[in-house]
Amino acid sequence: MKTLFRYLTSVSFILLSTTLLSQDFSALEYRTIGPQRGGRVTTVTGTPMLPGTFYLGASGAGVWKTDDYGTTWNNISDGFFDTPSIGAIEVALNDPNIVYVGTGSDGLRSNIISGKGMYKSIDGGKTWSHIGLENAGQIGAVEIDPTNSNVVWVAAIGNAFKANEERGIYKTVDGGTTWTKMLHISNTTGFADLELLPGNPNVVYAAAWKAQRTPWTIISGGENKEGGIYKSVNGGKDWIKLEEGLPQGLIGKIDLAVSSVDSSILYAVIEAPGDEGGVYKSIDQGKSFVQTSSNKGLVNRPFYYTNIELDPTNPDIVYSNANPLLKSTDGGKSWTMMSVPHGDNHDIWLNPNNPDLLIQCNDGGANVSHNGGKTWSSQFNQPTAEIYQVAVDDQYPYWIYGAQQDNTTIAIPSSAPSATAVQGSSQTMIDVGGCETGPTIPKPGNHNIVYNNCKGRFSVYNKITGVGREYSIGASNIYGHNPKDLKYRFQRVAPIHVSPHDPDVVYMGSQFVHKTRNDGVIWETISPDLTAFEADKQVNSGSPITRDITGEEYYSTLYSIRESKIKEGLIWTGSNDGVVSLTQDGGQTWTNVTPKKMLKGGRVESIEPSQFNPAKAYISVDRHLLGDTTPYFYKTEDYGKTWELLTNGIPSDYTSKVLREDPVQEGLLFAGTEYGMFVSMNDGKDWKPFQQNLPVTPITDITIYRGDLVLSTMGRGFWVLDNITTLRNNAITSLKDTPVLFQPDNTIRYRTPRRSKGFPDYSSTGVLIDYYLPKDGKNNVQLEILDASKQTIATISSDSTKTKSTKEEVDNMSLSMSFSYFDNTLNTKKGINRFQWDMRQKGAWSDKASRSYKNGPMVPPGNYTVKLTVDDKSFEQPFEILVDPRLADEGIDEKIIAAHLAFENKVLDLLTDARKFQSELEAEIKKSKGDRKESLESVLKAIKNDEGAYPQQMLVPQISYLSYIVGGVDKIPGNEEVERLKDLEQQLQAVKQKAQLN
């Protein structure tokens, strides 16, 4: 984000509102709600000097570190790295504080995130410096000279989507200050791996790999001259190609491993045609090789896997990471499958002092073993999930739905699902049918029904019965087919869209738009082929060696479908080969409305019909698979006849992912890109970063619901920004020298647990109050909450000195529900600030000042006013607190809540009275002597518990207990509670008379 403004043209910068550009939105923070289940991890490492310390590098979540053997993981790259995609991590052998990271994952999926070069830490990952190779693309390996940590080698695969000069082997001798390209074959061949010879780091092995992805195929390998294994014996000055015993024809991805106990032994796992693919072994430092195995599991999906590693104490024990994880104990001749927590294996590291202590990674995260892989640490402590899309249902609170890469679909609550939900230690999460690709869409009006796509297959899932009924269009498994031969071409993430006008109408896209009115039992096709369908792009994916046809490379399919919310039958579609289409009559006629100046072939990631003007729509087009990372956001206001490019303020390499329009404020737009969020308040003319505390990661989808901004990401799960009401206020674009109090959104009166750290980050119930201060201030900001009668309920001050008289002030208010307190979260900094009022009115008195009058009951539903006072100026805004709809369904209405609250306040008043009486009694005892003292002590025993275990509960604790069972709920007071209150009132009156303090 630090380089954003260099991309703004001088003309647009002048035109853009200075206030908007300089506005700080940091007070509006996102919260992460998980899932805590791990996502794809492509590299791991450890350090023998600190056996409990390990690192993982995720494909979209950055670098994480554990120092307790994988029990807990913490991100250490946020705020430092410009990309979340990690290719290799290496720790200096003689200093665990020195860590080098190569960005850009080496598993070249279509959604791979580009690398941004090398990073270095000299304090164990607390801080990082960028040290160059910004254009190296994906980095396959990093090696540190064990004799000098300033000497580092890098294997650069290159740009995954186009040829580039930066592919090659690099070396630095000054810790990354300068780099030298030591080996380069061509602009299409990079290097997937390199190894240094133990005992002589001037001997280097490097594995060349020709690789590139397009939207329609995977290129992995080429002619023999375009790949293979290279060796240098003089620190990279000269290189020879190793050939004896190796495949002489087509050759693809290669990974290497050198024995640390016998440097003459070198292994290579090689992608090659037929039985030539497999593991090769050299016992003479690469002069000759012998193939030890052609087991197909060793070269399964080589572009994605291909990793070999040796036991550091035994060269005959070999590990192969693919799908599955394989182990050999006889030098690579025979292999057995190892059990790991998740499939799709990518990397492994074994402690050289104890090879039974190891870390391994896969598409489910990273896992540590203390016993050679018999048992593993959990993957449910790494919030690194890759989520394809986001949807929400209409529960209270609403739940969030999405599909996790190489895992299940999931639904998780946006906030604590109940007042008794456990926070910080567990998460409510359910599988809702379908599979890893999604989308997964809850049915409006019946959240127990969920529509799913699984790699082109449609199904309807019932959360109550756990049954998913498949009604796939064509009823055919499309895996492995040449797309030109398919009747229906479906992307793995084929779109599903529920009509906003009729929840029984569901659309799904192949190359056609399909429609069902009965949950898929009957489908009708309502469009012609709405794609470009270029014949030369309809091919078997995977060349020239390994077929890989999973639907991810099916080109010329629909990628997005949206029906206008304000005009039924107005449907927009976008294809993954760059075609935008429109029907205004429910599919009877279609028009190609692709922007005329738009470069062809891009993926129309999202379409957003305007919710204010039927002629207006927005699209997001992604061309990164064609080697073009430029963002393309477009807007039309004439049903697609003309389009306007909307990218001013977005950096030139922030590939566009999704654009959504606010449903309340026209012109308020949110854009998700490859590296984060942006907001526009003038209908896309200008954009401002809207990243706040969000980590750098691709934003895959956005939805705006009940005033919240909900995101899915490709590497960090779901995030929620609660209450964007302030952004809808026109005043936000013209903030100047006067304080501004923004109108709070109406707030549902949920009962939720107190907020706690960790996952999921459920918010606690409260009214979010946003205000703007034109300058930094100290001790001069105050908020008051007024009820419908304009009576003050609570006063919150930023100045602790102003609340020193709070005790006396409240005491003098008698039965008033008002109280004042100091809160250091009531910020006084310049710019936009946010305060969350917990809806609490006055509680019971306590002899501990920090607790006195705090944690009172929640105020009842109704109309309220917030009053902001800055220095001598005051501002007011109204808002409403609403009944929890779940309570309303239960029959608990505003009258019952008010009656219960009145009763609860009587109990609290009695508790205050009793506690004050006890305090006065104890003070009087200290002053008294003789019979008077004995008499008062007998009274104290009647109201205060004795010391020790399990004392009999006396009067004051009994009143406190009644307060406990009455508080925290909304109900009709029970008869026993009413009678108990009367009894306790009489008891207190009796002991007061006996004490005769006044």
Side-chain angles (χ1 to χ4, degrees), residues 272-301:
D275 289 340
E276 286 189 304
V279 167
Y280 290 76
K281 180 180 180 181
S282 172
I283 58 173
D284 52 15
Q285 293 191 0
K287 292 179 182 178
S288 62
F289 287 83
V290 173
Q291 186 179 25
T292 62
S293 177
S294 59
N295 186 321
K296 299 301 180 185
L298 299 166
V299 285
N300 178 19
R301 303 195 81 196

PDB file of all heavy atoms in Angstrom, residues 272-301:
ATOM      1  N   ALA A 272       8.498 -36.588 -16.223  1.00  0.00           N
ATOM      2  CA  ALA A 272       8.892 -37.001 -17.573  1.00  0.00           C
ATOM      3  C   ALA A 272       7.809 -37.926 -18.108  1.00  0.00           C
ATOM      4  O   ALA A 272       6.998 -38.467 -17.346  1.00  0.00           O
ATOM      5  CB  ALA A 272      10.251 -37.694 -17.562  1.00  0.00           C
ATOM      6  N   PRO A 273       7.762 -38.151 -19.432  1.00  0.00           N
ATOM      7  CA  PRO A 273       6.698 -38.985 -19.998  1.00  0.00           C
ATOM      8  C   PRO A 273       6.760 -40.433 -19.518  1.00  0.00           C
ATOM      9  O   PRO A 273       7.839 -40.998 -19.332  1.00  0.00           O
ATOM     10  CB  PRO A 273       6.955 -38.904 -21.506  1.00  0.00           C
ATOM     11  CG  PRO A 273       7.768 -37.669 -21.692  1.00  0.00           C
ATOM     12  CD  PRO A 273       8.604 -37.542 -20.469  1.00  0.00           C
ATOM     13  N   GLY A 274       5.570 -41.014 -19.316  1.00  0.00           N
ATOM     14  CA  GLY A 274       5.450 -42.426 -19.018  1.00  0.00           C
ATOM     15  C   GLY A 274       6.263 -42.863 -17.827  1.00  0.00           C
ATOM     16  O   GLY A 274       6.325 -42.179 -16.798  1.00  0.00           O
ATOM     17  N   ASP A 275       6.935 -44.019 -17.991  1.00  0.00           N
ATOM     18  CA  ASP A 275       7.713 -44.586 -16.898  1.00  0.00           C
ATOM     19  C   ASP A 275       9.021 -43.859 -16.649  1.00  0.00           C
ATOM     20  O   ASP A 275       9.733 -44.177 -15.685  1.00  0.00           O
ATOM     21  CB  ASP A 275       7.998 -46.072 -17.177  1.00  0.00           C
ATOM     22  CG  ASP A 275       6.752 -46.936 -17.049  1.00  0.00           C
ATOM     23  OD1 ASP A 275       5.796 -46.471 -16.397  1.00  0.00           O
ATOM     24  OD2 ASP A 275       6.726 -48.050 -17.601  1.00  0.00           O
ATOM     25  N   GLU A 276       9.358 -42.909 -17.497  1.00  0.00           N
ATOM     26  CA  GLU A 276      10.570 -42.127 -17.233  1.00  0.00           C
ATOM     27  C   GLU A 276      10.396 -41.198 -16.039  1.00  0.00           C
ATOM     28  O   GLU A 276      11.375 -40.764 -15.439  1.00  0.00           O
ATOM     29  CB  GLU A 276      10.963 -41.309 -18.467  1.00  0.00           C
ATOM     30  CG  GLU A 276      11.575 -42.100 -19.593  1.00  0.00           C
ATOM     31  CD  GLU A 276      12.133 -41.185 -20.661  1.00  0.00           C
ATOM     32  OE1 GLU A 276      11.373 -40.345 -21.184  1.00  0.00           O
ATOM     33  OE2 GLU A 276      13.338 -41.300 -20.964  1.00  0.00           O
ATOM     34  N   GLY A 277       9.156 -40.877 -15.721  1.00  0.00           N
ATOM     35  CA  GLY A 277       8.906 -40.037 -14.565  1.00  0.00           C
ATOM     36  C   GLY A 277       9.123 -40.810 -13.286  1.00  0.00           C
ATOM     37  O   GLY A 277       8.847 -42.007 -13.211  1.00  0.00           O
ATOM     38  N   GLY A 278       9.654 -40.157 -12.259  1.00  0.00           N
ATOM     39  CA  GLY A 278       9.860 -40.819 -10.982  1.00  0.00           C
ATOM     40  C   GLY A 278      11.086 -40.311 -10.274  1.00  0.00           C
ATOM     41  O   GLY A 278      11.527 -39.179 -10.473  1.00  0.00           O
ATOM     42  N   VAL A 279      11.675 -41.204  -9.444  1.00  0.00           N
ATOM     43  CA  VAL A 279      12.830 -40.828  -8.631  1.00  0.00           C
ATOM     44  C   VAL A 279      14.106 -41.387  -9.233  1.00  0.00           C
ATOM     45  O   VAL A 279      14.164 -42.547  -9.650  1.00  0.00           O
ATOM     46  CB  VAL A 279      12.657 -41.324  -7.182  1.00  0.00           C
ATOM     47  CG1 VAL A 279      13.958 -41.223  -6.401  1.00  0.00           C
ATOM     48  CG2 VAL A 279      11.576 -40.503  -6.479  1.00  0.00           C
ATOM     49  N   TYR A 280      15.123 -40.525  -9.257  1.00  0.00           N
ATOM     50  CA  TYR A 280      16.451 -40.895  -9.742  1.00  0.00           C
ATOM     51  C   TYR A 280      17.454 -40.650  -8.621  1.00  0.00           C
ATOM     52  O   TYR A 280      17.308 -39.719  -7.828  1.00  0.00           O
ATOM     53  CB  TYR A 280      16.831 -40.068 -10.965  1.00  0.00           C
ATOM     54  CG  TYR A 280      16.031 -40.424 -12.208  1.00  0.00           C
ATOM     55  CD1 TYR A 280      14.714 -40.002 -12.345  1.00  0.00           C
ATOM     56  CD2 TYR A 280      16.592 -41.198 -13.221  1.00  0.00           C
ATOM     57  CE1 TYR A 280      13.977 -40.324 -13.456  1.00  0.00           C
ATOM     58  CE2 TYR A 280      15.864 -41.531 -14.362  1.00  0.00           C
ATOM     59  CZ  TYR A 280      14.554 -41.094 -14.475  1.00  0.00           C
ATOM     60  OH  TYR A 280      13.833 -41.430 -15.594  1.00  0.00           O
ATOM     61  N   LYS A 281      18.514 -41.515  -8.612  1.00  0.00           N
ATOM     62  CA  LYS A 281      19.508 -41.426  -7.552  1.00  0.00           C
ATOM     63  C   LYS A 281      20.906 -41.449  -8.144  1.00  0.00           C
ATOM     64  O   LYS A 281      21.207 -42.214  -9.061  1.00  0.00           O
ATOM     65  CB  LYS A 281      19.336 -42.601  -6.579  1.00  0.00           C
ATOM     66  CG  LYS A 281      20.324 -42.623  -5.412  1.00  0.00           C
ATOM     67  CD  LYS A 281      20.063 -43.827  -4.519  1.00  0.00           C
ATOM     68  CE  LYS A 281      21.026 -43.886  -3.345  1.00  0.00           C
ATOM     69  NZ  LYS A 281      20.790 -45.076  -2.486  1.00  0.00           N
ATOM     70  N   SER A 282      21.765 -40.586  -7.611  1.00  0.00           N
ATOM     71  CA  SER A 282      23.181 -40.567  -7.976  1.00  0.00           C
ATOM     72  C   SER A 282      24.001 -40.826  -6.730  1.00  0.00           C
ATOM     73  O   SER A 282      23.691 -40.306  -5.659  1.00  0.00           O
ATOM     74  CB  SER A 282      23.571 -39.221  -8.580  1.00  0.00           C
ATOM     75  OG  SER A 282      24.974 -39.144  -8.759  1.00  0.00           O
ATOM     76  N   ILE A 283      25.054 -41.631  -6.871  1.00  0.00           N
ATOM     77  CA  ILE A 283      25.964 -41.876  -5.741  1.00  0.00           C
ATOM     78  C   ILE A 283      27.339 -41.295  -6.015  1.00  0.00           C
ATOM     79  O   ILE A 283      28.302 -41.574  -5.297  1.00  0.00           O
ATOM     80  CB  ILE A 283      26.075 -43.390  -5.435  1.00  0.00           C
ATOM     81  CG1 ILE A 283      26.562 -44.155  -6.656  1.00  0.00           C
ATOM     82  CG2 ILE A 283      24.739 -43.933  -4.942  1.00  0.00           C
ATOM     83  CD1 ILE A 283      26.856 -45.635  -6.376  1.00  0.00           C
ATOM     84  N   ASP A 284      27.411 -40.462  -7.060  1.00  0.00           N
ATOM     85  CA  ASP A 284      28.699 -39.851  -7.425  1.00  0.00           C
ATOM     86  C   ASP A 284      28.555 -38.355  -7.701  1.00  0.00           C
ATOM     87  O   ASP A 284      29.140 -37.823  -8.635  1.00  0.00           O
ATOM     88  CB  ASP A 284      29.317 -40.567  -8.624  1.00  0.00           C
ATOM     89  CG  ASP A 284      28.356 -40.677  -9.807  1.00  0.00           C
ATOM     90  OD1 ASP A 284      27.327 -39.957  -9.814  1.00  0.00           O
ATOM     91  OD2 ASP A 284      28.623 -41.477 -10.721  1.00  0.00           O
ATOM     92  N   GLN A 285      27.740 -37.700  -6.886  1.00  0.00           N
ATOM     93  CA  GLN A 285      27.524 -36.250  -6.980  1.00  0.00           C
ATOM     94  C   GLN A 285      27.024 -35.818  -8.361  1.00  0.00           C
ATOM     95  O   GLN A 285      27.354 -34.753  -8.848  1.00  0.00           O
ATOM     96  CB  GLN A 285      28.809 -35.496  -6.621  1.00  0.00           C
ATOM     97  CG  GLN A 285      29.210 -35.643  -5.171  1.00  0.00           C
ATOM     98  CD  GLN A 285      30.314 -34.706  -4.745  1.00  0.00           C
ATOM     99  OE1 GLN A 285      30.814 -33.913  -5.542  1.00  0.00           O
ATOM    100  NE2 GLN A 285      30.712 -34.789  -3.483  1.00  0.00           N
ATOM    101  N   GLY A 286      26.203 -36.669  -8.970  1.00  0.00           N
ATOM    102  CA  GLY A 286      25.521 -36.277 -10.188  1.00  0.00           C
ATOM    103  C   GLY A 286      26.200 -36.671 -11.476  1.00  0.00           C
ATOM    104  O   GLY A 286      25.666 -36.374 -12.560  1.00  0.00           O
ATOM    105  N   LYS A 287      27.334 -37.338 -11.402  1.00  0.00           N
ATOM    106  CA  LYS A 287      27.976 -37.756 -12.654  1.00  0.00           C
ATOM    107  C   LYS A 287      27.088 -38.737 -13.406  1.00  0.00           C
ATOM    108  O   LYS A 287      27.019 -38.723 -14.637  1.00  0.00           O
ATOM    109  CB  LYS A 287      29.343 -38.395 -12.360  1.00  0.00           C
ATOM    110  CG  LYS A 287      30.372 -37.427 -11.823  1.00  0.00           C
ATOM    111  CD  LYS A 287      31.693 -38.139 -11.538  1.00  0.00           C
ATOM    112  CE  LYS A 287      32.723 -37.168 -10.938  1.00  0.00           C
ATOM    113  NZ  LYS A 287      33.984 -37.857 -10.610  1.00  0.00           N
ATOM    114  N   SER A 288      26.395 -39.581 -12.664  1.00  0.00           N
ATOM    115  CA  SER A 288      25.468 -40.532 -13.273  1.00  0.00           C
ATOM    116  C   SER A 288      24.305 -40.763 -12.331  1.00  0.00           C
ATOM    117  O   SER A 288      24.421 -40.602 -11.121  1.00  0.00           O
ATOM    118  CB  SER A 288      26.177 -41.860 -13.574  1.00  0.00           C
ATOM    119  OG  SER A 288      26.642 -42.457 -12.371  1.00  0.00           O
ATOM    120  N   PHE A 289      23.183 -41.138 -12.933  1.00  0.00           N
ATOM    121  CA  PHE A 289      21.960 -41.396 -12.170  1.00  0.00           C
ATOM    122  C   PHE A 289      21.390 -42.752 -12.551  1.00  0.00           C
ATOM    123  O   PHE A 289      21.603 -43.244 -13.678  1.00  0.00           O
ATOM    124  CB  PHE A 289      20.904 -40.333 -12.458  1.00  0.00           C
ATOM    125  CG  PHE A 289      21.177 -38.994 -11.850  1.00  0.00           C
ATOM    126  CD1 PHE A 289      22.022 -38.084 -12.476  1.00  0.00           C
ATOM    127  CD2 PHE A 289      20.588 -38.637 -10.646  1.00  0.00           C
ATOM    128  CE1 PHE A 289      22.258 -36.842 -11.914  1.00  0.00           C
ATOM    129  CE2 PHE A 289      20.819 -37.399 -10.081  1.00  0.00           C
ATOM    130  CZ  PHE A 289      21.659 -36.501 -10.712  1.00  0.00           C
ATOM    131  N   VAL A 290      20.651 -43.318 -11.613  1.00  0.00           N
ATOM    132  CA  VAL A 290      19.896 -44.544 -11.866  1.00  0.00           C
ATOM    133  C   VAL A 290      18.473 -44.302 -11.362  1.00  0.00           C
ATOM    134  O   VAL A 290      18.286 -43.798 -10.253  1.00  0.00           O
ATOM    135  CB  VAL A 290      20.513 -45.748 -11.127  1.00  0.00           C
ATOM    136  CG1 VAL A 290      19.602 -46.972 -11.271  1.00  0.00           C
ATOM    137  CG2 VAL A 290      21.901 -46.052 -11.654  1.00  0.00           C
ATOM    138  N   GLN A 291      17.494 -44.657 -12.193  1.00  0.00           N
ATOM    139  CA  GLN A 291      16.115 -44.515 -11.741  1.00  0.00           C
ATOM    140  C   GLN A 291      15.805 -45.598 -10.724  1.00  0.00           C
ATOM    141  O   GLN A 291      15.988 -46.782 -10.989  1.00  0.00           O
ATOM    142  CB  GLN A 291      15.141 -44.591 -12.913  1.00  0.00           C
ATOM    143  CG  GLN A 291      13.697 -44.304 -12.520  1.00  0.00           C
ATOM    144  CD  GLN A 291      12.729 -44.356 -13.688  1.00  0.00           C
ATOM    145  OE1 GLN A 291      12.996 -45.034 -14.675  1.00  0.00           O
ATOM    146  NE2 GLN A 291      11.624 -43.658 -13.581  1.00  0.00           N
ATOM    147  N   THR A 292      15.318 -45.184  -9.551  1.00  0.00           N
ATOM    148  CA  THR A 292      14.993 -46.153  -8.505  1.00  0.00           C
ATOM    149  C   THR A 292      13.517 -46.514  -8.492  1.00  0.00           C
ATOM    150  O   THR A 292      13.148 -47.569  -7.988  1.00  0.00           O
ATOM    151  CB  THR A 292      15.386 -45.607  -7.125  1.00  0.00           C
ATOM    152  OG1 THR A 292      14.635 -44.419  -6.863  1.00  0.00           O
ATOM    153  CG2 THR A 292      16.877 -45.296  -7.076  1.00  0.00           C
ATOM    154  N   SER A 293      12.664 -45.624  -9.022  1.00  0.00           N
ATOM    155  CA  SER A 293      11.229 -45.901  -8.995  1.00  0.00           C
ATOM    156  C   SER A 293      10.505 -45.038 -10.011  1.00  0.00           C
ATOM    157  O   SER A 293      10.858 -43.870 -10.211  1.00  0.00           O
ATOM    158  CB  SER A 293      10.657 -45.630  -7.605  1.00  0.00           C
ATOM    159  OG  SER A 293       9.256 -45.824  -7.584  1.00  0.00           O
ATOM    160  N   SER A 294       9.491 -45.651 -10.626  1.00  0.00           N
ATOM    161  CA  SER A 294       8.594 -44.908 -11.526  1.00  0.00           C
ATOM    162  C   SER A 294       7.182 -44.876 -10.956  1.00  0.00           C
ATOM    163  O   SER A 294       6.210 -44.698 -11.696  1.00  0.00           O
ATOM    164  CB  SER A 294       8.593 -45.545 -12.920  1.00  0.00           C
ATOM    165  OG  SER A 294       8.162 -46.899 -12.843  1.00  0.00           O
ATOM    166  N   ASN A 295       7.073 -45.049  -9.645  1.00  0.00           N
ATOM    167  CA  ASN A 295       5.786 -44.990  -8.945  1.00  0.00           C
ATOM    168  C   ASN A 295       5.042 -43.714  -9.336  1.00  0.00           C
ATOM    169  O   ASN A 295       5.557 -42.609  -9.191  1.00  0.00           O
ATOM    170  CB  ASN A 295       6.044 -45.028  -7.438  1.00  0.00           C
ATOM    171  CG  ASN A 295       4.769 -45.109  -6.627  1.00  0.00           C
ATOM    172  OD1 ASN A 295       3.767 -44.478  -6.952  1.00  0.00           O
ATOM    173  ND2 ASN A 295       4.824 -45.872  -5.551  1.00  0.00           N
ATOM    174  N   LYS A 296       3.833 -43.873  -9.847  1.00  0.00           N
ATOM    175  CA  LYS A 296       3.068 -42.714 -10.341  1.00  0.00           C
ATOM    176  C   LYS A 296       2.755 -41.713  -9.239  1.00  0.00           C
ATOM    177  O   LYS A 296       2.577 -40.521  -9.505  1.00  0.00           O
ATOM    178  CB  LYS A 296       1.766 -43.182 -11.001  1.00  0.00           C
ATOM    179  CG  LYS A 296       1.967 -44.097 -12.210  1.00  0.00           C
ATOM    180  CD  LYS A 296       2.793 -43.416 -13.297  1.00  0.00           C
ATOM    181  CE  LYS A 296       2.983 -44.320 -14.504  1.00  0.00           C
ATOM    182  NZ  LYS A 296       3.880 -43.710 -15.518  1.00  0.00           N
ATOM    183  N   GLY A 297       2.697 -42.194  -8.011  1.00  0.00           N
ATOM    184  CA  GLY A 297       2.419 -41.284  -6.918  1.00  0.00           C
ATOM    185  C   GLY A 297       3.525 -40.287  -6.660  1.00  0.00           C
ATOM    186  O   GLY A 297       3.322 -39.275  -5.999  1.00  0.00           O
ATOM    187  N   LEU A 298       4.712 -40.543  -7.207  1.00  0.00           N
ATOM    188  CA  LEU A 298       5.831 -39.628  -7.019  1.00  0.00           C
ATOM    189  C   LEU A 298       5.732 -38.400  -7.915  1.00  0.00           C
ATOM    190  O   LEU A 298       6.330 -37.366  -7.627  1.00  0.00           O
ATOM    191  CB  LEU A 298       7.151 -40.359  -7.303  1.00  0.00           C
ATOM    192  CG  LEU A 298       7.446 -41.564  -6.409  1.00  0.00           C
ATOM    193  CD1 LEU A 298       8.585 -42.396  -6.997  1.00  0.00           C
ATOM    194  CD2 LEU A 298       7.801 -41.100  -5.001  1.00  0.00           C
ATOM    195  N   VAL A 299       5.023 -38.538  -9.011  1.00  0.00           N
ATOM    196  CA  VAL A 299       4.911 -37.429  -9.969  1.00  0.00           C
ATOM    197  C   VAL A 299       3.443 -37.136 -10.257  1.00  0.00           C
ATOM    198  O   VAL A 299       3.045 -36.820 -11.364  1.00  0.00           O
ATOM    199  CB  VAL A 299       5.678 -37.741 -11.277  1.00  0.00           C
ATOM    200  CG1 VAL A 299       7.168 -37.599 -11.059  1.00  0.00           C
ATOM    201  CG2 VAL A 299       5.333 -39.135 -11.797  1.00  0.00           C
ATOM    202  N   ASN A 300       2.643 -37.232  -9.212  1.00  0.00           N
ATOM    203  CA  ASN A 300       1.223 -36.930  -9.314  1.00  0.00           C
ATOM    204  C   ASN A 300       1.041 -35.421  -9.355  1.00  0.00           C
ATOM    205  O   ASN A 300       1.457 -34.718  -8.452  1.00  0.00           O
ATOM    206  CB  ASN A 300       0.506 -37.539  -8.104  1.00  0.00           C
ATOM    207  CG  ASN A 300      -0.965 -37.242  -8.107  1.00  0.00           C
ATOM    208  OD1 ASN A 300      -1.546 -36.896  -9.129  1.00  0.00           O
ATOM    209  ND2 ASN A 300      -1.580 -37.372  -6.945  1.00  0.00           N
ATOM    210  N   ARG A 301       0.410 -34.893 -10.418  1.00  0.00           N
ATOM    211  CA  ARG A 301       0.220 -33.448 -10.592  1.00  0.00           C
ATOM    212  C   ARG A 301       1.524 -32.695 -10.313  1.00  0.00           C
ATOM    213  O   ARG A 301       1.613 -31.865  -9.392  1.00  0.00           O
ATOM    214  CB  ARG A 301      -0.888 -32.915  -9.687  1.00  0.00           C
ATOM    215  CG  ARG A 301      -2.221 -33.590  -9.864  1.00  0.00           C
ATOM    216  CD  ARG A 301      -3.332 -32.795  -9.215  1.00  0.00           C
ATOM    217  NE  ARG A 301      -3.777 -31.704 -10.066  1.00  0.00           N
ATOM    218  CZ  ARG A 301      -4.518 -30.678  -9.630  1.00  0.00           C
ATOM    219  NH1 ARG A 301      -4.848 -30.582  -8.361  1.00  0.00           N
ATOM    220  NH2 ARG A 301      -4.894 -29.734 -10.459  1.00  0.00           N
TER     221      ARG A 301
END
